[in-house]
Amino acid sequence: SDGFEMQFGVAYDSSPVDDEDRRADLPVDRQIRIGTSASWQHSKRLRIGLYITYMDLGSAELGSSQFFEGDFDPNRIFMVGANLHFYPGR
């Protein structure tokens, strides 16, 4: 479809591991994600899009039984991206 389109989303995931099993190679606790995107149909053959996502990955404490000890607080990620969709057959 022609024109401008926006999307918005929110997601929650519980911790993928118990606190005592958490390791430094995947230091996440519960996760909250909030994102938005926008796209614009420039022509019949080209759509342009942008997105931004914020992720809060919890405190992710590491126990003393691990090689590393401590926590990852704050444990956040911001992602920004762009995309182009080219439709050669149109």
Side-chain angles (χ1 to χ4, degrees):
S1 70
D2 290 345
F4 181 76
E5 180 179 281
M6 284 195 74
Q7 296 180 338
F8 177 79
V10 177
Y12 172 86
D13 285 313
S14 59
S15 181
V17 296
D18 294 330
D19 290 350
E20 61 272 5
D21 295 327
R22 187 172 296 117
R23 297 175 32 172
D25 59 348
L26 185 63
V28 298
D29 193 8
R30 58 94 185 108
Q31 302 126 61
I32 299 170
R33 294 182 297 280
I34 302 169
T36 189
S37 69
S39 64
W40 174 57
Q41 189 74 39
H42 178 268
S43 66
K44 287 183 179 181
R45 300 175 83 184
L46 181 65
R47 179 174 275 286
I48 301 167
L50 298 168
Y51 73 87
I52 185 168
T53 302
Y54 165 76
M55 297 176 67
D56 180 338
L57 302 173
S59 64
E61 295 178 17
L62 300 177
S64 59
S65 63
Q66 303 295 325
F67 182 73
F68 296 100
E69 185 176 342
D71 63 41
F72 292 82
D73 192 18
N75 195 9
R76 302 178 195 140
I77 298 173
F78 284 94
M79 295 182 289
V80 178
N83 55 54
L84 297 173
H85 293 262
F86 181 69
Y87 307 99
R90 290 185 177 184

